[in-house]
Amino acid sequence: MINPIDTDAVIRDGGAVGRFPDEIHEGVAWWLGASFVALTAAEQLAVGSDGGPVTAEFVRRLCRGAINAHHHACRVSAIDGIAEDAFHAYVRSRRPLAGAYVAASSDRDGRHLVRIRLYDADGLLLQEDTGLAGIRRMIAEDRVPIPVSDSARGTIEHLAPTAAEVTA
């Protein structure tokens, strides 16, 4: 595994949480996207973010991981610059639709705390027994899924946050 992480410390609280770049890196988002889609067999995934500069690469990699998970050909809708509550309402209004939300905050030392939250198809935050433990295990054992062929690759559609908020 390139750039390993402490999976027990980072993969928790409904997804992944860590200080960037010390505890978490952008590759973790790819691993989460691919593992989440493979574990849940999600055909669709909504990915939202706070729109900040720190989260941009995390979102890009999460989306790429989700569309490259085995043979699932997941369709990803990416919504950059949407508040988490509006994103969550959007996901819940379209059940069954799984979701992932990426946000970052800064501490006094100028480091960033990155949080990626994963929501199941019913809009519930992922828990240990509903997939989080499985994702942690896949990452720890370096068993993150990769695509089986180009034809099995999914797609990414970018939506404006205003469109998602209006339809929520």
Side-chain angles (χ1 to χ4, degrees):
M1 173 187 303
I2 298 174
N3 292 332
I5 60 165
D6 180 346
T7 53
D8 289 331
V10 173
I11 308 300
R12 59 184 172 88
D13 298 337
V17 181
R19 299 230 180 275
F20 172 72
D22 305 328
E23 300 166 337
I24 192 171
H25 55 80
E26 295 96 335
V28 174
W30 199 99
W31 302 340
L32 281 177
S35 299
F36 184 55
V37 168
L39 190 70
T40 64
E43 296 176 5
Q44 290 184 280
L45 177 69
V47 176
S49 81
D50 62 7
V54 172
T55 59
E57 185 63 13
F58 282 89
V59 169
R60 188 184 79 74
R61 297 239 192 139
L62 195 146
C63 291
R64 299 290 303 164
I67 67 167
N68 283 294
H70 283 308
H71 59 278
H72 295 286
C74 184
R75 294 181 319 273
V76 175
S77 298
I79 309 166
D80 196 32
I82 187 170
E84 187 170 7
D85 57 344
F87 173 76
H88 196 222
Y90 173 82
V91 170
R92 282 193 326 263
S93 72
R94 282 157 181 75
R95 283 186 291 208
L97 177 62
Y101 189 81
V102 184
S105 58
S106 298
D107 65 13
R108 285 181 251 130
D109 298 332
R111 293 185 308 172
H112 303 280
L113 180 68
V114 174
R115 179 178 300 278
I116 303 170
R117 294 181 196 249
L118 301 173
Y119 296 97
D120 68 15
D122 290 322
L124 302 173
L125 192 62
L126 215 59
Q127 302 296 317
E128 286 296 311
D129 61 344
T130 60
L132 199 58
I135 290 171
R136 183 183 306 106
R137 189 171 39 259
M138 289 172 85
I139 293 171
E141 295 173 359
D142 198 17
R143 299 178 55 111
V144 176
I146 58 174
V148 292
S149 70
D150 285 344
S151 64
R153 191 163 280 127
T155 59
I156 302 170
E157 174 188 22
H158 295 276
L159 302 176
T162 52
E165 291 168 350
V166 168
T167 59

